[in-house]
């Protein structure tokens, strides 16, 4: 079975066998949300890029014998007036009926995927906060992994692509632009905290998506991605702030040369790092635990649950 995630910045694939063993996990930056914050439309070239990658993924799914799949689109598709054109093209490319997830659905699936395999001591330490920093939105969910129905979740229109297009397009961004972006992020996350349960003091903030993985690689000097050097690694609030300042002071060309910078992320990493830094500050957390398990794992888990249900009367 397989899960496909069409996000604002990247398009991803996860395929597992019937026992849940991972057969492949892929990510390609396609920037589906290019310009959506301003135009409220998916650009034709962005649709073309994303659908081309979906065709590649569909071929890989066929080779692996996938018979069941979920294809989810998130923030960019939620915002776009012409999302139907993309969904039709995605269905044609993959043979899977696509769905646009609400922000809350996205947050809950991310929480489920990120917490299913948490170390027991972390899972038992109190409510866990999961922060999924996407290209167009950020999803926040607080709860206990063993009580999924009690998880509280919100989605906010803050993402690495959206913030870059709104505030940080100058290369490198000015101090004034950074200040304006930070004020916006702090205000929006502050409002989100008011409606979410309070995570345990000294508890666990789990960070998801490419921003978090890239910051861990930069901070640890990991030049080439290796899952075991990223997954469940911690990065402190101080490290996040230090890398935010360093990257914001560099032009995009210099960021691309940083050992550990993921291809396709150099131009939006400052916006993503800003969201993570403010999430740590607003929720008073000292560190972020990176997770390479996320919404894709939540989508696959939903397929496995549905296949395990007994047939109806």
């Amino acid at each position: 079975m397989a899960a496909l995630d069409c996000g604002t910045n990247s398009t991803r694939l996860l395929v597992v066998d019937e026992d849940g063993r991972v057969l492949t996990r892929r990510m390609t930056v396609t920037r589906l949300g290019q310009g959506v914050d301003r135009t409220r439309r998916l650009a034709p070239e962005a649709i073309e890029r994303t659908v081309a990658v979906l065709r590649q993924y569909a071929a890989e799914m066929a080779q692996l014998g996938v018979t069941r799949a979920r294809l989810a689109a998130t923030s960019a598709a939620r915002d776009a007036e012409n999302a139907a054109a993309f969904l039709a093209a995605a269905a044609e490319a993959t043979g899977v009926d696509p769905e646009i997830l609400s922000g809350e659905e996205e947050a809950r699936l991310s929480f489920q995927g990120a917490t299913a395999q948490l170390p027991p001591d972390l899972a038992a330490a109190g409510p866990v906060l999961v922060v999924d920093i996407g290209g167009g939105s950020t999803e926040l969910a607080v709860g206990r992994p063993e009580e999924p129905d009690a998880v509280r979740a919100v989605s906010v229109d803050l993402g690495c692509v959206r913030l870059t297009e709104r505030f940080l397009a100058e290369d490198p961004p000015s101090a004034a632009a950074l200040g304006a972006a930070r004020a916006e992020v702090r205000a929006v996350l502050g409002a989100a905290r008011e409606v979410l349960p309070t995570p345990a003091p000294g508890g666990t903030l789990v960070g998801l998506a490419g921003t978090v993985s890239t910051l861990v690689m930069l901070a640890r000097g990991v030049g080439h991605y290796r899952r075991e050097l990223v997954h469940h690694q911690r990065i402190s609030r101080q490290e996040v702030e230090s890398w935010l300042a360093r990257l914001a002071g560099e032009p995009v060309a210099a960021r691309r040369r940083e050992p550990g910078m993921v291809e396709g992320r150099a131009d939006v990493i400052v916006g993503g790092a800003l969201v993570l830094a403010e999430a740590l500050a607003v929720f008073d957390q000292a560190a972020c635990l990176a997770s390479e398990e996320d919404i894709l794992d939540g989508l696959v888990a939903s397929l496995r649950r549905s296949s395990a249900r007994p047939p109806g009367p």
Side-chain angles (χ1 to χ4, degrees):
M1 55 191 72
L4 300 109
D5 171 32
C6 298
T8 300
N9 194 53
S10 61
T11 300
R12 303 183 305 137
L13 168 69
L14 171 64
V15 180
V16 304
D17 66 15
E18 291 302 317
D19 296 319
R21 290 188 293 265
V22 174
L23 301 179
T24 190
R25 191 186 292 261
R26 300 273 305 278
M27 186 279 290
T28 308
V29 172
T30 54
R31 201 64 58 86
L32 177 63
Q34 167 194 331
V36 167
D37 185 60
R38 177 178 55 84
T39 66
R40 296 292 157 174
R41 296 185 64 81
L42 298 171
E45 62 270 27
I47 293 176
E48 184 177 341
R49 286 194 301 267
T50 305
V51 171
V53 168
L54 288 175
R55 287 196 185 96
Q56 295 171 13
Y57 289 172
E60 189 165 356
M61 289 162 58
Q63 291 175 352
L64 293 171
V66 170
T67 57
R68 302 182 64 223
R70 285 186 74 178
L71 192 167
T74 54
S75 177
R78 286 196 294 267
D79 289 352
E81 297 169 354
N82 63 335
F86 166 68
L87 297 180
E92 187 278 329
T94 63
V96 180
D97 289 333
E99 53 191 302
I100 297 179
L101 298 177
S102 71
E104 184 175 334
E105 288 173 324
E106 184 180 358
R108 289 181 177 278
L109 285 164
S110 293
F111 183 93
Q112 180 180 351
T115 61
Q117 302 297 327
L118 269 186
D121 59 323
L122 297 180
V128 174
L129 168 62
V130 173
V131 180
D132 185 356
I133 304 169
S137 65
T138 291
E139 281 62 51
L140 304 103
V142 180
R144 298 177 183 273
E146 70 275 14
E147 299 175 356
D149 292 339
V151 171
R152 295 282 300 278
V154 297
S155 176
V156 296
D157 283 341
L158 297 173
C160 60
V161 175
R162 193 185 301 268
L163 283 171
T164 299
E165 291 182 351
R166 280 189 183 180
F167 296 100
L168 308 173
E170 189 179 356
D171 185 24
S174 66
L178 281 166
R182 189 183 279 269
E184 173 76 4
V185 173
R186 184 171 299 172
V188 172
L189 292 181
R193 178 166 186 173
E194 293 298 317
V195 301
L196 289 172
T198 302
T204 303
L205 185 156
V206 181
L208 313 183
T211 288
V212 179
S213 301
T214 301
L215 287 171
V216 169
M217 290 174 65
L218 291 168
R220 302 293 173 262
V222 179
H224 300 283
Y225 177 80
R226 287 170 55 191
R227 176 185 168 88
E228 67 271 20
L229 298 180
V230 176
H231 184 54
H232 286 177
Q233 298 299 307
R234 288 187 178 273
I235 183 168
S236 71
R237 181 174 162 187
Q238 292 80 4
E239 287 177 304
V240 172
E241 289 284 2
S242 176
W243 275 100
L244 171 58
R246 175 170 169 168
L247 295 168
E250 296 177 335
V252 171
R255 289 180 214 150
R256 289 195 182 103
R257 294 193 293 270
E258 292 279 8
M261 182 60 67
V262 176
E263 184 178 356
R265 193 156 295 277
D267 60 331
V268 297
I269 187 65
V270 172
L274 188 51
V275 174
L276 181 58
E278 283 300 315
L280 289 162
V282 167
F283 287 90
D284 195 23
Q285 299 293 304
C288 166
L289 182 77
S291 175
E292 295 299 276
E293 293 166 354
D294 52 30
I295 189 173
L296 285 173
D297 302 84
L299 288 166
V300 163
S302 73
L303 287 170
R304 298 189 73 201
R305 281 197 308 275
S306 64
S307 64
R309 291 177 188 145

